[in-house]
């Protein structure tokens, strides 16, 4: 089942499909428990598989140093250009921009 609620942009995710919680014990040791698992809306596990984006922005990857703000990030610029090319919005706001 495809939900078509969003277009994912970026690079393939790593595929860590679990959330672990560390619980301290009274003797100074700790217990690590898997408390949740990440799944897609259809119920498929992403563990060791990751999620493939609809639009790859791997070509926009910038070697370090990382950009200081979102407006200068090549991946953000590529995503904005994708939206402009498809007339998917006339106004785009970046978090942290004036």
């Amino acid at each position: 089942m495809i939900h078509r609620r969003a277009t994912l942009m970026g690079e393939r995710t790593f595929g860590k499909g679990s959330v672990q919680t560390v619980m301290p014990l009274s003797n100074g040791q700790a217990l690590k428990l898997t408390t949740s698992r990440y799944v897609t809306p259809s119920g498929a596990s992403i563990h060791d598989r990751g999620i493939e984006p609809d639009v790859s922005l791997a070509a926009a990857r910038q070697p370090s140093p990382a950009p200081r703000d979102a407006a200068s990030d090549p991946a953000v610029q590529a995503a904005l250009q994708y939206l402009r090319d498809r007339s998917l919005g006339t106004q785009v706001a970046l978090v942290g921009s004036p």
Side-chain angles (χ1 to χ4, degrees):
M1 172 187 247
I2 298 176
H3 294 277
R4 304 240 185 254
R5 289 188 176 179
T7 299
L8 296 178
M9 301 173 136
E11 296 181 47
R12 180 182 197 90
T13 63
F14 175 71
K16 183 176 184 325
S18 63
V19 177
Q20 296 177 323
T21 302
V22 176
M23 301 178 66
L25 302 174
S26 61
N27 63 1
Q29 295 180 333
L31 180 66
K32 186 190 290 189
L33 294 174
T34 298
T35 54
S36 322
R37 299 236 181 244
Y38 290 113
V39 296
T40 65
S42 66
S45 172
I46 69 163
H47 189 69
D48 289 335
R49 293 181 14 190
I51 296 175
E52 189 70 39
D54 300 310
V55 178
S56 176
L57 298 180
R61 177 185 256 173
Q62 178 179 348
S64 57
R68 292 178 151 182
D69 59 29
S72 63
D73 186 314
V76 170
Q77 292 305 312
L80 293 174
Q81 189 60 50
Y82 176 90
L83 295 172
R84 285 186 204 103
D85 291 348
R86 286 151 186 83
S87 299
L88 296 176
T90 56
Q91 298 179 359
V92 178
L94 295 174
V95 174
S97 295

